[in-house]
Structures are given as structure tokens and as C-alpha cells.
Amino acid sequence: VEAVSILEAPAMVVVGVVGYVETPRGLRTLSTVWAAHLSDECRRRFYKNWYKSKKKAFTKYAKKYTESKKEIDVELARIKKYCQVVRVIAHTQVSKLNLRQKKAHIMEIQVNGGTPAEKVAFAYDLFEKHIPVEAVFSENEMIDVIGVTKGKGFEGVTTRWGTRRLPRKTHKGLRKVACIGAWHPARVSFTVARA
């Protein structure tokens, strides 16, 4: 019997595409194109306080699709012409999970393979479509997982770095580091556990 972690992973929704230009100092965003319709859970991400807000995010942007689609096409053409790296903007569907949170997580996912024009066309076809986990991972596949540790707040060295507690009779506390280094070099080394 093996211990496993079961992760609930509803399909992600693609809501935009970003084009990056390679510069000597790294990647630079050239242009971003968003989908016509963004769900409320996605739009919540752009607000600090949703219920007090007027909920106007992307209302004017959506009109570009109905009134003048030309602006959108111009931006897509710019990405096709100048960009080397193309990424889609996707958001999670938090409402499908049994969580208290209602605000979706947004991330960029890089599109690889083909010319930049093909990448943009592929990304644009995915707009407002759901991408299930099966589209990315197959069964019994080994994958790397990156996570964020739970914050523990402001802690001392004993909890933070796992140093030994000093004997009971120690002056001024025992959850400390007794010697933080030799006289010389006359600095505290970065390898010393501090909190």
C-alpha cells in the first residue's frame, strides 16, 4: 500500500495571450490580448474588495470585440510579428472546489512549438475554452510539483532553523544560538542561523 496525495484539479480556463520580446536584459512584455468574456471569479482577482466595487473591470475592453474588432487584430498581429515567446493567461475555477475562496488564481502558461504566428493562432483558438488536466498530464506520469510552504510568521532560531536548545540554566533564555562565530573574520557569516 502506497500513500498518495489526491489533488482536486478542475479544468483551467484560458482568458488571454501575452507576447514577449527577447531583449539583452531578458524578456519584455510587448502586448496582451484578453478574451471577450471573463468570469466573475477571474475578475475578482483584479479587485481588493469585490462587493464594494462597481465591478467594471473589462467591461470597456469587451466592447472592443463588438464595436471594433480591428484593435484586437492589430494587437494579435503585433505579437505575431515581433514576439519570440508566447504565453496564454489561464485561471483556475475555484467555484468548483469546496473552498471558502471565490477569487480565481491566474497564471501564464508558455506555448511552445511552431512559429510565433502559429503559437498566437493556437492560443487564440483556446480563448474561453476549458483545459482539463488530461490535456497536460497522462495517467501514471511522474511530475514535478512546486508548492508554497505555509507561513509560520516571525519565529525564533529554534523553530526556524532547528538549532539545539541550550541547557536549562542558561542566562537570558535558552532558545538561542550561543556562539554566532569566531572573533575573526570579524563578521557574522551568512551560514549562522539567525532569526
Side-chain angles (χ1 to χ4, degrees), residues 29-40:
T29 315
L30 181 79
S31 183
T32 307
V33 176
W34 294 87
H37 307 289
L38 271 68
S39 65
D40 276 0

Side-chain angles (χ1 to χ4, degrees), residues 155-167 170-182 188-195:
E155 293 282 11
V157 274
T158 308
T159 306
R160 189 176 175 191
W161 299 107
T163 55
R164 287 289 292 272
R165 278 174 58 210
L166 301 173
T170 312
H171 182 51
K172 285 190 174 175
L174 45 80
R175 295 171 67 86
K176 296 176 177 293
V177 174
C179 177
I180 58 169
V188 179
S189 169
F190 74 94
T191 54
V192 178
R194 308 300 302 260

Side-chain angles (χ1 to χ4, degrees), residues 43 46-47 50 53-63:
R43 284 166 59 225
F46 304 105
Y47 287 97
W50 175 253
S53 68
K54 293 179 180 172
K55 305 174 178 56
K56 297 275 286 177
F58 287 94
T59 49
K60 288 182 181 173
Y61 191 90
K63 286 179 185 170

Side-chain angles (χ1 to χ4, degrees), residues 43-160:
R43 284 166 59 225
R44 273 175 188 267
R45 178 53 64 188
F46 304 105
Y47 287 97
K48 200 77 188 159
N49 195 332
W50 175 253
Y51 85 97
K52 274 189 184 172
S53 68
K54 293 179 180 172
K55 305 174 178 56
K56 297 275 286 177
F58 287 94
T59 49
K60 288 182 181 173
Y61 191 90
K63 286 179 185 170
K64 288 185 185 179
Y65 278 91
T66 51
E67 289 164 15
S68 60
K69 183 102 178 355
K70 203 173 109 181
E71 274 185 69
I72 303 287
D73 294 335
V74 166
E75 289 303 316
L76 287 169
R78 275 185 75 215
I79 297 174
K80 285 177 184 175
K81 189 175 179 185
Y82 299 110
C83 294
Q84 288 84 41
V85 176
V86 177
R87 294 176 184 170
V88 295
I89 301 168
H91 74 80
T92 55
Q93 298 188 75
V94 181
S95 56
K96 293 194 174 179
L97 297 170
N98 190 17
L99 292 176
R100 187 162 165 260
Q101 186 174 324
K102 296 176 184 175
K103 191 184 284 192
H105 306 93
I106 296 181
M107 68 180 289
E108 289 183 3
I109 303 166
Q110 190 152 312
V111 179
N112 293 324
T115 61
E118 288 168 349
K119 291 178 192 177
V120 173
F122 174 75
Y124 188 71
D125 284 342
L126 289 174
F127 272 20
E128 296 174 44
K129 290 191 180 141
H130 293 215
I131 299 178
V133 179
E134 301 90 71
V136 186
F137 303 117
S138 57
E139 207 174 329
N140 300 328
E141 190 181 349
M142 296 292 277
I143 58 170
D144 294 327
V145 178
I146 300 171
V148 180
T149 55
K150 276 189 182 178
K152 296 284 188 289
F154 196 93
E155 293 282 11
V157 274
T158 308
T159 306
R160 189 176 175 191

